[in-house]
Structure formats: structure tokens, C-alpha cells
Amino acid sequence: MKPFKFGQPIANWLLRLTLVAYLLLLNFEKLYPINLNSPGFYFAAAFALFALALLLGGFLSKQTLTVFSGLAISILSTYFFIKGFNGTLTFASLTNVIPAVLGFYFFSRGNKS
């Protein structure tokens, strides 16, 4: 059976939308209420900013915004995975692996379908 090649652009947009929704929901509690004295607020704001930039980058003809946002999401998620890793792979630690992998996907693919 051959792959469904016409579905690839749809799959890319579904990945993009799912990553944005996941990051916004994952970080929403740290964003509201606004606490400018908390480093967690700034990390959550960075996640939200890069997630929205990733979504916006999909509408642009140049892929620079998508690539940069994917790199930033990948680096931030990898940092939080390493920071929270206690020696065993758990569901809680995978909450940071999935965005890191998807961020790397958009870093390496850009807007290509």
C-alpha cells in the first residue's frame, strides 16, 4: 500500500496545531495570574510566544520563523527534561520530550510539506 501523499500537508498542520495547543495548556497555570517575580512565568511566556510564532510561521512564505521557533521550543523542552530527569523515564518526564521532538521536527523541516 502506498502512503497518502496528499495528507502530508494536513498532517503537518495537525502537528503544528497540536503542539501549540499542548504548550499553551501545559503552561497556562504559570501564565495566569501574571507574576513578574517568578522565573517560571518567563519560561511559560517564552513557550507561549514561540508556540504562537510557530503557528504564525506556517502562514508565511519564508520558513525562518518556523525554524527559529522549532529550535527554541526544542531547546527549552530539552532543558526542562534534563532539569527534571531523576534517572527513570516516567510519564511526567515525557511531557517535555514530546514538545522537544516536535520542535526539532519543525526546526529540521521548516514549512515543507
Side-chain angles (χ1 to χ4, degrees), residues 8 10-11 13 23 47 49 60 69 76-77 86-88 102 112:
Q8 191 171 9
I10 296 169
W13 273 102
L23 288 174
F47 269 120
L49 176 71
L60 301 176
S69 299
L76 283 170
S77 297
N86 62 0
T88 54
L102 289 174
K112 295 179 187 172

Side-chain angles (χ1 to χ4, degrees), residues 21-97:
Y22 182 78
L23 288 174
L24 291 177
L25 289 173
L26 186 65
N27 293 296
F28 183 75
E29 292 178 359
K30 297 173 190 163
L31 287 173
Y32 186 77
I34 296 173
N35 183 3
L36 298 178
N37 296 324
S38 169
F41 169 77
Y42 291 106
F43 281 115
F47 269 120
L49 176 71
F50 289 122
L52 293 174
L54 182 74
L55 185 63
L56 179 64
F59 293 108
L60 301 176
S61 59
K62 293 188 178 186
Q63 53 192 2
T64 305
L65 190 58
T66 298
V67 171
F68 181 71
S69 299
L71 176 63
I73 290 168
S74 184
I75 289 172
L76 283 170
S77 297
T78 302
Y79 167 75
F80 279 107
F81 171 74
I82 292 170
K83 182 180 171 191
F85 188 67
N86 62 0
T88 54
L89 194 61
T90 63
F91 180 75
S93 64
L94 283 178
T95 58
N96 290 312
V97 171

